[in-house]
Every structure is written in structure tokens, then in C-alpha cells.
Amino acid sequence: MVALISAFGLVLAVELPDKTLVATLVLTTRFRGWPVFAGVCAAFAVQCVIAVAFGSVLTLLPDVVLSLVVAAMFGLGSFMLLREGFSKADEAGEDASRTGPSPSSFTRSAMTSFGVLFAAEWGDASQLATASLAARIGNPFAVGVGAFAALVVVAGLAVFIGGKIRSRIKPKLIQRCAGFAFAGFAAFALLQLAF
């Protein structure tokens, strides 16, 4: 029980201000809430299994390699969000998107959400925390369940908030803010190499 509570508390604290919340929030402004939540939770489940299974290996990665990979992923995410956030192609249809989410199919929305969060979680602080706890505590199942529960809580909050602000805030503005936040995360990961 200590392993489960420790993992839940640590991962929740790490993920609340993290890109996971921002990415899920952005996805919720583009797609309906339930498919986003389903896809995000599936991605979290797979990432928790990977983190627990390879906990000791992940903690042994050289800091330089890990920082470069994390910086590259954040940089790519920033580029994609900013490109879409500043694109002119959707400006005419933006008012239509403010009245409701994209009418995409459940499967398409869920798979898009899965892909975005699955890629974003590689090298994430929550993945490293989960791997580290699994290696230290020696109870991988409890650590995995606690970490997954925390990630589901964060995803639920993001979907709820995204649903509430969808009609009040332009999706392009959220994408731009998220893109700049991702650029900041990439810069921070590169700064870690210097210290």
C-alpha cells in the first residue's frame, strides 16, 4: 500500500504542471472528451507498464542522452503546436470549432490522443519517477497502479477543463500557448546538459 500511495502522490505532483495536462487540454479542444480520455488513458497504461518493466534500465541511461531525447521530443511537440496554432488555413473555420469539438470518429480521436500522449510520455518525469520507484521499492505492480491512477486523475482534470473552456477560448490561442510552453520545456532540458 505504501508503494501505491507513494507512486500516486509523486506522479500526481509531477504531472499536474506538466505537458501531459497541456497536451490533453489541447486535444480536448479539438476532439470530444470521451475519446480523448480513452486514448490518453490507454497511452498512460502502456507507458506505466513500460516504465515498471524497464525501471532499472531507464534509471541507468546517461543523463546527456536522456536530456537530448527529451529536448528533441519537446522541440518537435512545440513545432507541431505552433505550426497549427499560427496556421491561416483554419482561421475561417475557427468560429465553427468554438461551438463544439471536431466531429471525428471516436476511434480516430482516441487513436490521435493515444499517439500524442504515448510519444510525449517518453522520458517524461512521471515515467522516470515510476521507473525509479519500481526499481527502489521492489513492488512494481503497486507502483504501476499508483502511477496509472495519478495519470488518469490528471487526464480527467484536463478533459474537464478543456470541455469548459472550449467555447470561451480560441483553440489557436491554446495551441500557441502550449507550443511556447513546450519550447520552454525543450530549452530547460537542454539547459540541464550545461549543469
Side-chain angles (χ1 to χ4, degrees):
M1 191 56 120
V2 171
L4 190 144
I5 293 169
S6 297
F8 180 86
L10 180 61
V11 171
L12 186 66
V14 165
E15 283 299 313
L16 276 176
D18 195 45
K19 69 185 180 305
T20 300
L21 185 111
V22 174
T24 306
L25 186 75
V26 170
L27 286 165
T28 305
T29 65
R30 301 290 289 174
F31 303 112
R32 286 185 223 110
W34 281 113
V36 170
F37 186 71
V40 166
C41 287
F44 288 151
V46 173
Q47 286 291 11
C48 283
V49 169
I50 291 169
V52 167
F54 298 105
S56 60
V57 173
L58 290 175
T59 58
L60 297 176
L61 283 175
D63 291 339
V64 172
V65 172
L66 188 58
S67 292
L68 288 172
V69 169
V70 169
M73 289 187 334
F74 280 134
L76 179 62
S78 174
F79 171 75
M80 291 169 54
L81 285 167
L82 290 173
R83 182 182 65 186
E84 186 167 340
F86 284 105
S87 72
K88 300 294 181 198
D90 290 333
E91 291 292 335
E94 190 171 302
D95 289 337
S97 71
R98 294 182 74 195
T99 61
S102 171
S104 299
S105 72
F106 183 93
T107 304
R108 180 173 176 259
S109 301
M111 292 301 292
T112 300
S113 300
F114 176 88
V116 168
L117 267 295
F118 183 76
E121 283 298 298
W122 282 103
D124 190 59
S126 64
Q127 188 182 45
L128 296 176
T130 303
S132 180
L133 282 174
R136 288 185 193 146
I137 295 177
N139 189 345
F141 181 76
V143 168
V145 169
F148 178 70
L151 291 166
V152 168
V153 168
V154 170
L157 285 171
V159 168
F160 177 76
I161 293 168
K164 295 295 181 189
I165 67 170
R166 176 187 302 120
S167 62
R168 294 179 185 93
I169 297 177
K170 294 181 179 182
K172 295 258 184 223
L173 178 62
I174 295 171
Q175 291 167 338
R176 291 171 188 169
C177 291
F180 286 123
F182 274 40
F185 293 139
F188 181 73
L190 288 175
L191 283 173
Q192 288 180 324
L193 291 173
F195 300 105

